[in-house]
Amino acid sequence: MEVIVEVEQLKKSFGKHTAVKGVSFNIAAGEVFGLLGPNGAGKTTIVRMLTTLLLPDGGRATVCGYDVRRQAARVRQCIGYVPQALSVDGALTGYENMMIFAKLLGLKGRERERRIADLLHFMQLEDAAGRLVRTYSGGMVRRLEIAQAVLHYPRVLFLDEPTVGLDPVARRGVWEILAKLRRTSRMAILLTTHYMEEADTVCTRVGILNRGEMVVTGTPGELKALVGNPDASMDDVFTYFTGNFLDAGGDFRGIRQVRHISRRLG
Ligand SMILES: Nc1ncnc2c1ncn2[C@@H]1O[C@H](COP(=O)(O)OP(=O)(O)OP(=O)(O)O)[C@@H](O)[C@H]1O
């Protein structure tokens, strides 16, 4: 098993508040690791440390064998990142958005054209490539953002809540793309999510965070077995390990986030 992401006792505080309290986990090539946890559990903070956007206060993390603190530039070369915020320009076509990223990455000539064409095809966006992105559906925007993030064929892909604000059909479309990426490239994928069906369907392994601590890691099947109920769902697993009930309505922050995402696409 080739370990690509290694996290050991990682810590981060903001002022007096410790957001991440000594978290450890590994991700191997070909795995989709889901970070679950209630609002404020520390998921985004961990992703931001592993993508070198935030310096850890303690512990150690390596990505592709490079230390996130001391070898940040190397880490950036081997990762792709799809943040929560919009990373495409609605006033450009899908092809133009891809071209900008490809140029920023230093790709040139026929190789650049080949990668853009291959990825637009992979993401089922080739027919829409010449259309302005502001005319795309939410699912198409997400697939374009993933295409941009993997133009340099990274060995690890980080996605922060990749399907928030998408309808169930669009959500499934993104899940299929992630499963296909994993199968075809053996990429290691880390995603954060609030959707238990996403954790169950796409993730090969999940870690449940609560108040900055990793409570448990395992495959969805292993975690369900730990709950001690043969019919346990991932919702039951989440409640069992965090003590949080999944409220169908979500909290204010969650709702605001979904509205924000819908607005940015509209
Ligand atoms: N830049 C910051 N300054 C101060 N506090 C912060 C900052 N970023 C995060 N926090 C705090 O750290 C804690 C963890 O936040 P984080 O965004 O990592 O949680 P999360 O699990 O991603 O939550 P959500 O599911 O709502 O996105 C929260 O209490 C949050 O308020």
Side-chain angles (χ1 to χ4, degrees), residues 12-15 17-20 35-48 54 84 160-161 192-194 209 211-212 251 253-254 257:
K12 182 72 195 175
S13 297
F14 298 105
H17 177 67
T18 306
V20 177
L35 263 186
L36 318 183
N39 289 123
K43 304 180 292 294
T44 302
T45 305
I46 290 174
V47 169
R48 295 186 68 211
L54 204 57
Q84 278 185 28
D160 205 353
E161 299 198 30
T192 71
T193 186
H194 282 281
L209 276 176
R211 299 172 195 270
D251 67 1
R253 197 165 156 219
Q257 194 172 41

